[in-house]
Amino acid sequence: VIHKGMHEAAYSGFDGVDAHGASLGEVLSAANVSEVTVVGFATDYCVRATAIDAAERGLAVTVPLDLCAGVSPDTTRAAIEEMAHHDVVITHATGI
């Protein structure tokens, strides 16, 4: 379990740590993870930030939009475009 935003604002899962203080990046690296699927609330904030951070770390990233919820249609559209620009695969859960 990675905890984020408990004592300060944090959008990306990569801003969080586990119970031992290891970051999400460290946990994924130690487990030899090369692909992640990012889902959750706030497609236009937390999902976007986590997906882009994962892509920038060299992970293959998929975001199934039907397992996410955006705050606003306009910012969600912009987030989808930005994620796609970072080579995040935008799909639906049935396509995984």
Side-chain angles (χ1 to χ4, degrees):
V1 174
I2 303 294
H3 299 275
K4 70 173 183 72
M6 298 196 50
H7 304 289
E8 60 187 35
Y11 289 127
S12 175
F14 288 90
D15 294 333
V17 295
D18 70 7
H20 305 288
S23 71
L24 178 57
E26 293 167 335
V27 170
L28 295 175
S29 180
N32 294 315
V33 171
S34 60
E35 302 175 20
V36 295
T37 299
V38 181
V39 302
F41 299 115
T43 308
D44 31 356
Y45 294 95
C46 298
V47 171
R48 180 195 66 75
T50 302
I52 290 171
D53 281 354
E56 288 178 344
R57 286 170 170 77
L59 297 166
V61 185
T62 301
V63 173
L65 292 179
D66 54 331
L67 299 179
C68 301
V71 174
S72 149
D74 291 337
T75 56
T76 298
R77 275 191 295 277
I80 292 167
E81 290 174 11
E82 186 178 3
M83 288 187 287
H85 178 75
H86 283 88
D87 297 324
V88 172
V89 176
I90 306 299
T91 188
H92 295 279
T94 55
I96 294 178

